[in-house]
Amino acid sequence: LSTISRMLLHPYFVFDGPDCPQIKRGKDVLGWSPPLLLVQRFQELLTAFGFDWHVAPGEAEAELSCHQSCGFIDAMVTPYNDALLFGATCVLHSIRGDEDVEVYSAEAIENSAALEWGDLLLITLMSSADSDTGCRWCDTDVACRLVDYGFGRTLLEAAISLQFIEFMEFVTKWRDNVCEVLRTDPQHFLGCRYHELARIIKEECFEFPDPAILAMYLSPLTSWSDDGHSPITCVMSRQPNLTALAAFCSQCLGWPPDTVQSALMDACAGAAMRALLQVSFAIMPNMPIPSHHSPYAAAGQRQW
């Protein structure tokens, strides 16, 4: 946090909420959560450093994606690429410590890889880990090649435009078509035939694609759900409270005075940077906040 406080940016933190999905990225997360005291202490530190935060009603990635599509934030820092399916336009991954960063943008993926939102949805559904075994039942490369047959885009269009019963009727035919393509590869996009994969989908995965998983991506629970609104109007940060930080280090971490004093030197540099950013923000003209146009806004109208 001391390092972040010295950066030319305004950080904002979002925590998973009480209604976060039970299954995330193919893993059961209901039985695991960080210790409540650890979360509370971290939130105390954020406040002491002058950083704003809030708890999302559901998944933090979905909440941050909404903030990004509203123009509140420029980039999201998360280790999970499926944030792009929630409508995120720029995702940062830290690699090899803090020195190197990978940047994933929706624009680059569409322009360079020719992948649209429906394509990403299909790849995620096909290559996700099974919730029971934890094993992926389809290789990502196979899913990427299957994209060329257009199944992801037709699935997304149907999910957005059809009512639930009509959609389930569509999915039955859609799944049969996917299996037929896996068995025959009529346009040779796959490079070979996948009879076993087609058999698994046909005989064992009766709910592929799972409507619950689709709903999690197409209409996730956020602060905007049910005509709600953002808990913030803009992202700002304040100067750190050095007295509160000193007390935290002494009382919660048990650091001796010399260690506390040494640690606060970085925080003092952060205080100077926060002051400069506040001056910069004060002299900027008032810029209107763009309206929210989430990529899944239309899908959110469906009762999944």
Side-chain angles (χ1 to χ4, degrees), residues 129-214:
D130 183 85
S131 58
D132 295 325
T133 65
C135 299
R136 293 191 306 170
W137 55 276
C138 176
D139 189 88
T140 303
D141 291 337
V142 177
C144 289
R145 291 195 293 270
L146 190 62
V147 157
D148 292 334
Y149 281 100
F151 287 120
R153 302 180 189 187
T154 56
L155 179 65
L156 176 62
E157 181 180 357
I160 291 177
S161 61
L162 299 180
Q163 296 295 332
F164 183 77
I165 295 178
E166 296 174 321
F167 175 76
M168 295 308 295
E169 293 174 351
F170 164 84
V171 162
T172 300
K173 299 178 181 178
W174 179 89
R175 185 168 52 244
D176 289 340
N177 291 336
V178 170
C179 292
E180 181 64 20
V181 165
L182 288 171
R183 283 192 296 263
T184 62
D185 191 20
Q187 299 183 47
H188 308 290
F189 291 148
L190 299 178
C192 62
R193 299 174 181 179
Y194 295 90
H195 294 278
E196 180 62 16
L197 179 56
R199 185 197 66 78
I200 292 175
I201 295 177
K202 187 73 173 178
E203 299 178 7
E204 300 179 16
C205 300
F206 302 109
E207 289 193 349
F208 176 78
D210 189 338
I213 302 299
L214 276 175

Coordinates of all heavy atoms in Angstrom, one line a residue, residues 129-214:
A129 N -13.3 -25.6 -15.7 CA -13.1 -26.8 -14.9 C -14.4 -27.3 -14.4 O -15.3 -26.5 -14.1 CB -12.1 -26.5 -13.8
D130 N -14.5 -28.6 -14.4 CA -15.7 -29.3 -13.9 C -15.8 -29.0 -12.4 O -14.9 -29.1 -11.7 CB -15.7 -30.8 -14.2 CG -17.0 -31.5 -13.7 OD1 -17.9 -31.5 -14.5 OD2 -17.0 -32.0 -12.6
S131 N -17.0 -28.6 -11.9 CA -17.2 -28.3 -10.5 C -17.1 -29.5 -9.6 O -16.8 -29.3 -8.4 CB -18.6 -27.7 -10.3 OG -19.6 -28.6 -10.7
D132 N -17.2 -30.7 -10.1 CA -17.1 -31.9 -9.3 C -15.7 -32.4 -9.2 O -15.2 -32.8 -8.2 CB -18.1 -33.0 -9.8 CG -19.5 -32.6 -9.7 OD1 -19.9 -31.9 -8.7 OD2 -20.3 -33.0 -10.6
T133 N -15.0 -32.5 -10.4 CA -13.7 -33.1 -10.5 C -12.6 -32.1 -10.5 O -11.4 -32.4 -10.1 CB -13.6 -34.0 -11.7 OG1 -13.7 -33.1 -12.9 CG2 -14.7 -35.0 -11.8
G134 N -12.9 -30.8 -10.9 CA -11.9 -29.8 -10.9 C -11.0 -29.9 -12.2 O -10.1 -29.1 -12.4
C135 N -11.4 -30.9 -13.1 CA -10.6 -31.0 -14.3 C -11.3 -30.4 -15.5 O -12.6 -30.4 -15.6 CB -10.4 -32.5 -14.6 SG -9.5 -33.4 -13.3
R136 N -10.6 -29.8 -16.4 CA -11.1 -29.3 -17.6 C -11.5 -30.4 -18.6 O -10.6 -31.3 -18.8 CB -10.2 -28.3 -18.3 CG -10.0 -27.0 -17.5 CD -9.2 -26.0 -18.3 NE -8.0 -26.5 -18.9 CZ -7.2 -25.9 -19.8 NH1 -7.6 -24.8 -20.2 NH2 -6.1 -26.5 -20.2
W137 N -12.7 -30.4 -19.1 CA -13.1 -31.5 -20.0 C -12.9 -31.1 -21.5 O -13.2 -31.9 -22.4 CB -14.5 -31.9 -19.8 CG -15.5 -30.8 -19.8 CD1 -15.8 -29.9 -18.8 CD2 -16.3 -30.4 -20.9 NE1 -16.8 -29.1 -19.3 CE2 -17.1 -29.4 -20.6 CE3 -16.4 -30.9 -22.2 CZ2 -18.0 -28.8 -21.4 CZ3 -17.4 -30.3 -23.1 CH2 -18.1 -29.3 -22.7
C138 N -12.4 -29.9 -21.8 CA -12.1 -29.5 -23.1 C -10.9 -28.6 -23.1 O -10.8 -27.6 -22.3 CB -13.3 -28.7 -23.8 SG -13.0 -28.1 -25.4
D139 N -9.9 -28.8 -24.0 CA -8.7 -28.0 -24.1 C -9.1 -26.7 -24.6 O -9.9 -26.5 -25.5 CB -7.7 -28.7 -25.0 CG -6.4 -28.0 -24.9 OD1 -5.6 -28.4 -24.1 OD2 -6.1 -27.2 -25.8
T140 N -8.4 -25.6 -24.1 CA -8.6 -24.3 -24.6 C -8.4 -24.1 -26.1 O -9.1 -23.4 -26.8 CB -7.7 -23.3 -23.8 OG1 -7.9 -23.4 -22.4 CG2 -8.0 -21.8 -24.2
D141 N -7.4 -24.8 -26.6 CA -7.1 -24.7 -28.0 C -8.3 -25.2 -28.9 O -8.6 -24.6 -29.9 CB -5.8 -25.5 -28.4 CG -4.6 -24.8 -27.8 OD1 -4.6 -23.6 -27.6 OD2 -3.6 -25.5 -27.6
V142 N -8.9 -26.3 -28.4 CA -10.0 -26.8 -29.1 C -11.2 -25.8 -29.1 O -11.9 -25.6 -30.1 CB -10.5 -28.2 -28.5 CG1 -11.7 -28.7 -29.2 CG2 -9.4 -29.2 -28.6
A143 N -11.4 -25.2 -27.9 CA -12.5 -24.3 -27.8 C -12.2 -23.0 -28.7 O -13.2 -22.5 -29.3 CB -12.6 -23.8 -26.3
C144 N -11.0 -22.6 -28.8 CA -10.7 -21.5 -29.6 C -10.9 -21.8 -31.1 O -11.4 -20.9 -31.9 CB -9.2 -21.1 -29.4 SG -8.9 -20.3 -27.9
R145 N -10.6 -23.0 -31.5 CA -10.9 -23.4 -32.9 C -12.3 -23.6 -33.2 O -12.8 -23.3 -34.3 CB -10.1 -24.7 -33.3 CG -8.6 -24.5 -33.3 CD -7.9 -25.6 -34.0 NE -8.0 -26.9 -33.2 CZ -7.1 -27.3 -32.3 NH1 -6.1 -26.5 -32.0 NH2 -7.3 -28.4 -31.7
L146 N -13.1 -24.0 -32.2 CA -14.5 -24.2 -32.3 C -15.2 -22.8 -32.5 O -16.3 -22.8 -33.1 CB -15.1 -24.9 -31.1 CG -16.6 -25.4 -31.2 CD1 -16.7 -26.4 -32.3 CD2 -17.0 -25.9 -29.8
V147 N -14.6 -21.8 -32.0 CA -15.1 -20.4 -32.2 C -15.4 -20.1 -33.6 O -16.3 -19.4 -34.0 CB -14.2 -19.4 -31.5 CG1 -14.4 -18.0 -32.1 CG2 -14.4 -19.4 -30.0
D148 N -14.5 -20.6 -34.6 CA -14.6 -20.2 -36.0 C -15.9 -20.7 -36.6 O -16.3 -20.2 -37.7 CB -13.5 -20.8 -36.7 CG -12.1 -20.2 -36.4 OD1 -12.2 -19.0 -36.0 OD2 -11.1 -20.8 -36.5
Y149 N -16.6 -21.6 -35.9 CA -17.9 -22.1 -36.5 C -19.1 -21.1 -36.0 O -20.2 -21.4 -36.4 CB -18.2 -23.5 -36.0 CG -17.5 -24.5 -36.8 CD1 -16.3 -25.1 -36.3 CD2 -17.9 -24.9 -38.1 CE1 -15.6 -26.1 -37.1 CE2 -17.3 -25.9 -38.8 CZ -16.1 -26.5 -38.3 OH -15.4 -27.4 -39.1
G150 N -18.8 -20.1 -35.2 CA -19.8 -19.1 -34.8 C -20.7 -19.5 -33.7 O -21.7 -18.8 -33.5
F151 N -20.4 -20.6 -33.0 CA -21.3 -21.0 -32.0 C -21.4 -20.1 -30.8 O -22.5 -19.9 -30.2 CB -20.9 -22.4 -31.4 CG -21.2 -23.5 -32.4 CD1 -20.1 -24.3 -32.9 CD2 -22.4 -23.8 -32.8 CE1 -20.3 -25.3 -33.8 CE2 -22.7 -24.9 -33.7 CZ -21.6 -25.6 -34.2
G152 N -20.3 -19.4 -30.5 CA -20.4 -18.4 -29.4 C -21.3 -17.3 -29.6 O -22.0 -16.8 -28.8
R153 N -21.2 -16.7 -30.8 CA -22.0 -15.6 -31.2 C -23.5 -15.9 -31.3 O -24.3 -15.1 -30.9 CB -21.5 -15.0 -32.5 CG -20.0 -14.6 -32.4 CD -19.4 -14.0 -33.7 NE -18.0 -13.9 -33.6 CZ -17.2 -13.3 -34.5 NH1 -17.7 -12.8 -35.6 NH2 -15.9 -13.3 -34.3
T154 N -23.8 -17.0 -31.8 CA -25.2 -17.4 -31.9 C -25.8 -17.7 -30.5 O -26.9 -17.3 -30.2 CB -25.4 -18.6 -32.8 OG1 -24.6 -19.7 -32.3 CG2 -25.0 -18.3 -34.2
L155 N -25.0 -18.3 -29.6 CA -25.4 -18.5 -28.2 C -25.7 -17.2 -27.5 O -26.7 -17.1 -26.8 CB -24.4 -19.3 -27.5 CG -24.7 -19.7 -26.0 CD1 -25.9 -20.6 -25.9 CD2 -23.5 -20.3 -25.4
L156 N -24.7 -16.2 -27.7 CA -24.9 -15.0 -27.0 C -26.1 -14.2 -27.5 O -26.9 -13.7 -26.7 CB -23.7 -14.1 -27.2 CG -23.7 -12.7 -26.7 CD1 -23.9 -12.7 -25.1 CD2 -22.5 -11.9 -27.0
E157 N -26.3 -14.2 -28.8 CA -27.5 -13.6 -29.4 C -28.8 -14.2 -28.9 O -29.7 -13.5 -28.5 CB -27.4 -13.7 -30.9 CG -28.6 -13.0 -31.6 CD -28.5 -13.1 -33.1 OE1 -27.5 -13.7 -33.6 OE2 -29.5 -12.6 -33.8
A158 N -28.8 -15.5 -28.8 CA -30.0 -16.2 -28.3 C -30.3 -15.9 -26.8 O -31.4 -15.6 -26.4 CB -29.9 -17.7 -28.5
A159 N -29.2 -15.9 -26.0 CA -29.3 -15.6 -24.6 C -29.8 -14.2 -24.3 O -30.6 -14.0 -23.4 CB -27.9 -15.8 -23.9
I160 N -29.5 -13.3 -25.2 CA -29.9 -11.9 -25.0 C -31.3 -11.7 -25.5 O -32.1 -10.9 -24.9 CB -28.9 -10.9 -25.7 CG1 -27.6 -10.9 -25.0 CG2 -29.5 -9.5 -25.7 CD1 -26.6 -10.1 -25.6
S161 N -31.7 -12.3 -26.6 CA -32.9 -12.0 -27.3 C -34.1 -12.9 -27.0 O -35.3 -12.5 -27.1 CB -32.7 -12.0 -28.8 OG -32.3 -13.3 -29.3
L162 N -33.9 -14.1 -26.5 CA -34.9 -15.1 -26.3 C -35.4 -15.1 -24.8 O -34.6 -14.9 -23.9 CB -34.5 -16.5 -26.7 CG -34.1 -16.6 -28.2 CD1 -33.7 -18.1 -28.5 CD2 -35.3 -16.2 -29.1
Q163 N -36.7 -15.4 -24.6 CA -37.1 -15.7 -23.3 C -36.6 -17.1 -22.9 O -36.1 -17.9 -23.7 CB -38.7 -15.7 -23.3 CG -39.3 -14.4 -23.6 CD -38.9 -13.3 -22.5 OE1 -38.7 -13.7 -21.3 NE2 -38.9 -12.1 -22.9
F164 N -36.7 -17.4 -21.6 CA -36.1 -18.6 -21.0 C -36.5 -19.9 -21.7 O -35.6 -20.7 -22.1 CB -36.3 -18.7 -19.5 CG -35.6 -19.9 -18.9 CD1 -34.3 -19.8 -18.6 CD2 -36.3 -21.0 -18.6 CE1 -33.6 -20.9 -18.0 CE2 -35.6 -22.1 -18.0 CZ -34.3 -22.0 -17.7
I165 N -37.8 -20.1 -21.9 CA -38.3 -21.3 -22.5 C -37.8 -21.4 -24.0 O -37.3 -22.5 -24.4 CB -39.8 -21.4 -22.4 CG1 -40.3 -21.5 -21.0 CG2 -40.3 -22.6 -23.2 CD1 -41.7 -21.6 -20.8
E166 N -37.9 -20.3 -24.7 CA -37.4 -20.3 -26.1 C -35.9 -20.6 -26.1 O -35.4 -21.3 -27.0 CB -37.7 -19.0 -26.7 CG -39.2 -18.7 -26.9 CD -39.5 -17.3 -27.4 OE1 -38.7 -16.4 -27.0 OE2 -40.4 -17.1 -28.2
F167 N -35.2 -20.0 -25.2 CA -33.7 -20.2 -25.2 C -33.4 -21.7 -24.9 O -32.5 -22.2 -25.5 CB -33.1 -19.3 -24.1 CG -31.6 -19.5 -23.9 CD1 -30.7 -19.0 -24.8 CD2 -31.1 -20.3 -22.8 CE1 -29.4 -19.2 -24.7 CE2 -29.8 -20.5 -22.7 CZ -28.9 -20.0 -23.6
M168 N -34.1 -22.3 -24.0 CA -33.8 -23.7 -23.7 C -34.1 -24.6 -24.9 O -33.4 -25.6 -25.2 CB -34.6 -24.2 -22.5 CG -34.2 -23.5 -21.2 SD -32.4 -23.5 -20.8 CE -32.1 -25.3 -20.6
E169 N -35.1 -24.3 -25.7 CA -35.4 -25.0 -26.9 C -34.3 -24.8 -27.9 O -33.8 -25.7 -28.6 CB -36.7 -24.6 -27.5 CG -37.9 -24.9 -26.6 CD -39.2 -24.4 -27.2 OE1 -39.2 -23.5 -28.1 OE2 -40.3 -24.7 -26.7
F170 N -33.8 -23.5 -28.0 CA -32.7 -23.2 -28.9 C -31.4 -24.0 -28.5 O -30.7 -24.5 -29.4 CB -32.4 -21.7 -28.9 CG -31.1 -21.3 -29.5 CD1 -30.9 -21.1 -30.8 CD2 -29.9 -21.2 -28.6 CE1 -29.7 -20.8 -31.4 CE2 -28.7 -20.8 -29.1 CZ -28.6 -20.6 -30.5
V171 N -31.1 -24.0 -27.2 CA -29.9 -24.7 -26.7 C -29.9 -26.2 -27.1 O -28.8 -26.7 -27.4 CB -29.8 -24.5 -25.2 CG1 -28.8 -25.4 -24.6 CG2 -29.3 -23.1 -24.9
T172 N -31.0 -26.8 -27.1 CA -31.0 -28.2 -27.4 C -30.5 -28.5 -28.8 O -29.7 -29.3 -29.1 CB -32.5 -28.8 -27.3 OG1 -32.9 -28.6 -25.9 CG2 -32.5 -30.3 -27.6
K173 N -31.0 -27.7 -29.8 CA -30.5 -27.8 -31.1 C -29.1 -27.3 -31.3 O -28.3 -27.9 -32.0 CB -31.5 -27.0 -32.1 CG -32.9 -27.4 -32.1 CD -33.8 -26.6 -33.0 CE -35.2 -27.0 -32.9 NZ -36.1 -26.1 -33.8
W174 N -28.8 -26.2 -30.5 CA -27.4 -25.7 -30.6 C -26.4 -26.7 -30.1 O -25.3 -26.9 -30.7 CB -27.4 -24.4 -29.7 CG -26.0 -23.8 -29.6 CD1 -25.5 -22.8 -30.4 CD2 -25.0 -24.0 -28.6 NE1 -24.3 -22.4 -30.0 CE2 -23.9 -23.1 -28.9 CE3 -24.9 -24.8 -27.5 CZ2 -22.8 -23.1 -28.1 CZ3 -23.8 -24.8 -26.7 CH2 -22.7 -23.9 -27.1
R175 N -26.7 -27.4 -29.0 CA -25.8 -28.4 -28.5 C -25.6 -29.6 -29.5 O -24.5 -30.1 -29.6 CB -26.3 -28.9 -27.1 CG -25.4 -29.9 -26.4 CD -25.9 -30.2 -25.0 NE -27.3 -30.5 -24.9 CZ -28.2 -29.8 -24.3 NH1 -27.9 -28.7 -23.7 NH2 -29.4 -30.2 -24.2
D176 N -26.7 -30.0 -30.1 CA -26.6 -31.1 -31.1 C -25.7 -30.6 -32.3 O -24.9 -31.4 -32.8 CB -28.0 -31.4 -31.7 CG -28.9 -32.1 -30.6 OD1 -28.3 -32.7 -29.7 OD2 -30.1 -32.2 -30.8
N177 N -25.8 -29.4 -32.7 CA -25.0 -28.9 -33.8 C -23.5 -28.8 -33.4 O -22.6 -29.2 -34.2 CB -25.4 -27.5 -34.2 CG -26.8 -27.5 -34.9 OD1 -27.2 -28.5 -35.4 ND2 -27.5 -26.4 -34.8
V178 N -23.2 -28.4 -32.1 CA -21.9 -28.4 -31.6 C -21.3 -29.9 -31.6 O -20.2 -30.1 -32.1 CB -21.8 -27.9 -30.2 CG1 -20.4 -28.1 -29.5 CG2 -22.1 -26.4 -30.2
C179 N -22.1 -30.8 -31.2 CA -21.6 -32.2 -31.2 C -21.4 -32.7 -32.6 O -20.4 -33.4 -32.9 CB -22.6 -33.1 -30.5 SG -22.8 -32.8 -28.7
E180 N -22.2 -32.3 -33.5 CA -22.1 -32.8 -34.9 C -20.8 -32.2 -35.5 O -20.0 -32.9 -36.2 CB -23.3 -32.4 -35.7 CG -23.2 -32.8 -37.2 CD -23.3 -34.3 -37.4 OE1 -23.7 -35.0 -36.4 OE2 -22.9 -34.8 -38.4
V181 N -20.5 -30.9 -35.2 CA -19.3 -30.3 -35.7 C -18.1 -31.0 -35.1 O -17.0 -31.2 -35.8 CB -19.3 -28.8 -35.5 CG1 -17.9 -28.2 -35.6 CG2 -20.3 -28.1 -36.4
L182 N -18.1 -31.3 -33.8 CA -17.0 -31.9 -33.2 C -16.7 -33.3 -33.8 O -15.6 -33.7 -33.9 CB -17.3 -32.1 -31.7 CG -17.2 -30.8 -30.8 CD1 -17.7 -31.1 -29.4 CD2 -15.8 -30.2 -30.8
R183 N -17.8 -34.0 -34.2 CA -17.6 -35.3 -34.8 C -17.1 -35.3 -36.2 O -16.4 -36.2 -36.7 CB -18.9 -36.1 -34.7 CG -19.3 -36.7 -33.4 CD -20.5 -37.6 -33.4 NE -21.7 -37.0 -33.9 CZ -22.6 -36.5 -33.1 NH1 -22.5 -36.7 -31.8 NH2 -23.7 -35.9 -33.6
T184 N -17.5 -34.2 -37.0 CA -17.3 -34.2 -38.4 C -16.3 -33.2 -38.9 O -15.7 -33.3 -39.9 CB -18.6 -34.1 -39.2 OG1 -19.2 -32.8 -38.9 CG2 -19.6 -35.2 -38.8
D185 N -16.2 -32.0 -38.2 CA -15.4 -30.9 -38.6 C -15.5 -30.6 -40.1 O -14.6 -30.7 -40.8 CB -13.9 -31.2 -38.3 CG -13.0 -30.0 -38.4 OD1 -13.5 -28.9 -38.4 OD2 -11.8 -30.2 -38.6
P186 N -16.7 -30.2 -40.5 CA -17.0 -30.1 -41.9 C -16.2 -29.1 -42.6 O -15.9 -29.2 -43.8 CB -18.5 -29.7 -41.9 CG -18.8 -29.1 -40.6 CD -17.9 -29.9 -39.6
Q187 N -15.8 -28.0 -42.0 CA -15.0 -27.0 -42.6 C -13.5 -27.0 -42.2 O -12.7 -26.1 -42.6 CB -15.5 -25.6 -42.3 CG -17.0 -25.4 -42.8 CD -17.5 -24.0 -42.5 OE1 -16.8 -23.0 -42.8 NE2 -18.7 -23.9 -42.0
H188 N -13.1 -28.1 -41.5 CA -11.7 -28.3 -41.1 C -11.1 -27.2 -40.3 O -9.9 -27.0 -40.3 CB -10.9 -28.5 -42.4 CG -11.4 -29.6 -43.3 ND1 -11.4 -30.9 -43.1 CD2 -12.0 -29.5 -44.5 CE1 -12.0 -31.6 -44.0 NE2 -12.4 -30.7 -45.0
F189 N -12.0 -26.5 -39.5 CA -11.4 -25.5 -38.6 C -10.8 -26.2 -37.4 O -9.8 -25.6 -36.8 CB -12.6 -24.6 -38.1 CG -13.1 -23.7 -39.1 CD1 -14.5 -23.3 -39.1 CD2 -12.3 -23.2 -40.2 CE1 -15.0 -22.5 -40.1 CE2 -12.9 -22.4 -41.1 CZ -14.2 -22.0 -41.1
L190 N -11.2 -27.4 -37.0 CA -10.7 -28.0 -35.8 C -9.4 -28.8 -36.1 O -8.6 -28.9 -35.1 CB -11.8 -29.0 -35.2 CG -13.1 -28.4 -34.8 CD1 -14.0 -29.5 -34.3 CD2 -12.9 -27.4 -33.7
G191 N -9.2 -29.2 -37.3 CA -8.0 -29.9 -37.6 C -8.1 -31.4 -37.4 O -7.3 -32.2 -38.0
C192 N -9.1 -31.9 -36.6 CA -9.3 -33.3 -36.5 C -10.7 -33.4 -35.9 O -11.4 -32.5 -35.5 CB -8.2 -33.9 -35.6 SG -8.2 -33.3 -33.9
R193 N -11.1 -34.7 -35.7 CA -12.4 -34.9 -35.2 C -12.4 -35.4 -33.7 O -11.5 -36.1 -33.3 CB -13.1 -36.0 -36.0 CG -13.3 -35.6 -37.5 CD -13.8 -36.7 -38.3 NE -13.9 -36.3 -39.7 CZ -14.4 -37.1 -40.7 NH1 -14.7 -38.4 -40.4 NH2 -14.5 -36.7 -41.9
Y194 N -13.4 -34.9 -32.9 CA -13.4 -35.1 -31.5 C -14.6 -35.9 -31.1 O -15.6 -35.4 -30.5 CB -13.3 -33.8 -30.7 CG -12.0 -33.0 -30.9 CD1 -11.9 -32.1 -32.0 CD2 -10.9 -33.3 -30.1 CE1 -10.7 -31.5 -32.2 CE2 -9.7 -32.6 -30.3 CZ -9.6 -31.7 -31.3 OH -8.4 -31.0 -31.5
H195 N -14.6 -37.2 -31.4 CA -15.8 -38.1 -31.1 C -16.0 -38.2 -29.6 O -17.2 -38.1 -29.2 CB -15.6 -39.4 -31.8 CG -15.5 -39.4 -33.3 ND1 -16.7 -39.4 -34.0 CD2 -14.5 -39.4 -34.1 CE1 -16.3 -39.4 -35.3 NE2 -15.0 -39.4 -35.4
E196 N -15.0 -38.4 -28.8 CA -15.2 -38.6 -27.4 C -15.7 -37.3 -26.7 O -16.6 -37.4 -25.9 CB -13.9 -39.0 -26.8 CG -13.9 -39.2 -25.2 CD -14.9 -40.3 -24.9 OE1 -15.2 -41.1 -25.7 OE2 -15.2 -40.4 -23.7
L197 N -15.2 -36.1 -27.1 CA -15.8 -34.9 -26.6 C -17.2 -34.7 -26.9 O -18.0 -34.3 -26.1 CB -14.9 -33.7 -27.1 CG -15.4 -32.3 -26.6 CD1 -15.4 -32.3 -25.1 CD2 -14.4 -31.3 -27.2
A198 N -17.6 -35.0 -28.2 CA -19.0 -35.0 -28.6 C -19.8 -35.9 -27.8 O -21.0 -35.6 -27.4 CB -19.1 -35.3 -30.1
R199 N -19.3 -37.1 -27.5 CA -20.1 -38.1 -26.7 C -20.3 -37.6 -25.3 O -21.4 -37.7 -24.7 CB -19.3 -39.4 -26.7 CG -20.1 -40.5 -26.0 CD -19.2 -41.7 -25.6 NE -18.2 -41.3 -24.6 CZ -18.5 -41.2 -23.3 NH1 -19.7 -41.4 -22.8 NH2 -17.6 -40.8 -22.4
I200 N -19.3 -37.0 -24.7 CA -19.4 -36.5 -23.3 C -20.4 -35.4 -23.3 O -21.3 -35.4 -22.3 CB -18.0 -35.9 -22.8 CG1 -17.0 -37.1 -22.7 CG2 -18.2 -35.2 -21.5 CD1 -15.6 -36.6 -22.3
I201 N -20.4 -34.5 -24.2 CA -21.4 -33.4 -24.2 C -22.8 -34.0 -24.4 O -23.8 -33.6 -23.7 CB -21.1 -32.4 -25.3 CG1 -19.8 -31.7 -25.0 CG2 -22.2 -31.4 -25.5 CD1 -19.4 -30.7 -26.1
K202 N -22.9 -34.9 -25.3 CA -24.2 -35.5 -25.7 C -24.8 -36.3 -24.5 O -26.0 -36.3 -24.2 CB -24.1 -36.3 -26.9 CG -25.4 -36.8 -27.5 CD -26.2 -35.7 -28.1 CE -27.4 -36.3 -28.9 NZ -28.2 -35.2 -29.5
E203 N -24.0 -37.2 -23.9 CA -24.5 -38.1 -22.9 C -24.3 -37.8 -21.5 O -25.0 -38.3 -20.6 CB -23.7 -39.5 -23.2 CG -24.0 -40.0 -24.6 CD -23.2 -41.3 -24.8 OE1 -22.6 -41.9 -23.8 OE2 -23.2 -41.8 -26.0
E204 N -23.3 -36.9 -21.2 CA -23.1 -36.6 -19.8 C -23.3 -35.2 -19.4 O -23.6 -34.9 -18.2 CB -21.6 -36.9 -19.5 CG -21.2 -38.4 -19.7 CD -19.8 -38.7 -19.4 OE1 -19.1 -37.9 -18.8 OE2 -19.3 -39.7 -19.9
C205 N -23.2 -34.2 -20.3 CA -23.4 -32.8 -20.0 C -24.8 -32.3 -20.5 O -24.9 -31.6 -21.4 CB -22.3 -32.0 -20.6 SG -20.7 -32.5 -20.0
F206 N -25.8 -32.8 -19.8 CA -27.2 -32.5 -20.2 C -27.5 -31.0 -20.1 O -28.4 -30.5 -20.8 CB -28.2 -33.3 -19.4 CG -28.0 -34.8 -19.5 CD1 -27.5 -35.5 -18.5 CD2 -28.2 -35.5 -20.7 CE1 -27.3 -36.9 -18.6 CE2 -28.0 -36.8 -20.8 CZ -27.5 -37.5 -19.8
E207 N -26.8 -30.3 -19.2 CA -27.1 -28.9 -19.0 C -26.0 -28.0 -19.6 O -25.8 -26.9 -19.1 CB -27.3 -28.6 -17.5 CG -28.5 -29.1 -16.9 CD -28.8 -28.5 -15.5 OE1 -27.9 -27.9 -15.0 OE2 -29.9 -28.7 -15.0
F208 N -25.3 -28.5 -20.6 CA -24.3 -27.6 -21.3 C -25.0 -26.9 -22.4 O -25.7 -27.5 -23.3 CB -23.2 -28.5 -21.9 CG -22.2 -27.6 -22.7 CD1 -21.3 -26.9 -22.0 CD2 -22.3 -27.6 -24.0 CE1 -20.4 -26.1 -22.7 CE2 -21.4 -26.8 -24.7 CZ -20.4 -26.1 -24.1
P209 N -24.9 -25.5 -22.4 CA -24.3 -24.7 -21.4 C -25.2 -24.5 -20.2 O -26.4 -24.4 -20.4 CB -24.0 -23.4 -22.1 CG -25.1 -23.3 -23.1 CD -25.3 -24.7 -23.6
D210 N -24.6 -24.5 -19.0 CA -25.4 -24.4 -17.8 C -26.1 -23.0 -17.7 O -25.4 -22.0 -17.7 CB -24.5 -24.6 -16.6 CG -25.3 -24.7 -15.3 OD1 -26.4 -24.2 -15.2 OD2 -24.7 -25.2 -14.3
P211 N -27.4 -22.9 -17.6 CA -28.1 -21.6 -17.6 C -27.6 -20.7 -16.4 O -27.5 -19.5 -16.5 CB -29.5 -21.9 -17.4 CG -29.7 -23.3 -18.0 CD -28.4 -24.0 -17.7
A212 N -27.3 -21.4 -15.3 CA -26.8 -20.6 -14.1 C -25.4 -20.0 -14.4 O -25.2 -18.8 -14.0 CB -26.7 -21.6 -12.9
I213 N -24.6 -20.7 -15.1 CA -23.3 -20.1 -15.4 C -23.4 -19.0 -16.4 O -22.8 -17.9 -16.3 CB -22.3 -21.2 -16.0 CG1 -22.1 -22.3 -15.0 CG2 -21.0 -20.6 -16.4 CD1 -21.5 -21.9 -13.7
L214 N -24.3 -19.1 -17.4 CA -24.6 -18.1 -18.4 C -25.1 -16.8 -17.6 O -24.7 -15.7 -17.9 CB -25.6 -18.6 -19.4 CG -25.1 -19.3 -20.6 CD1 -26.2 -19.8 -21.4 CD2 -24.2 -18.5 -21.4

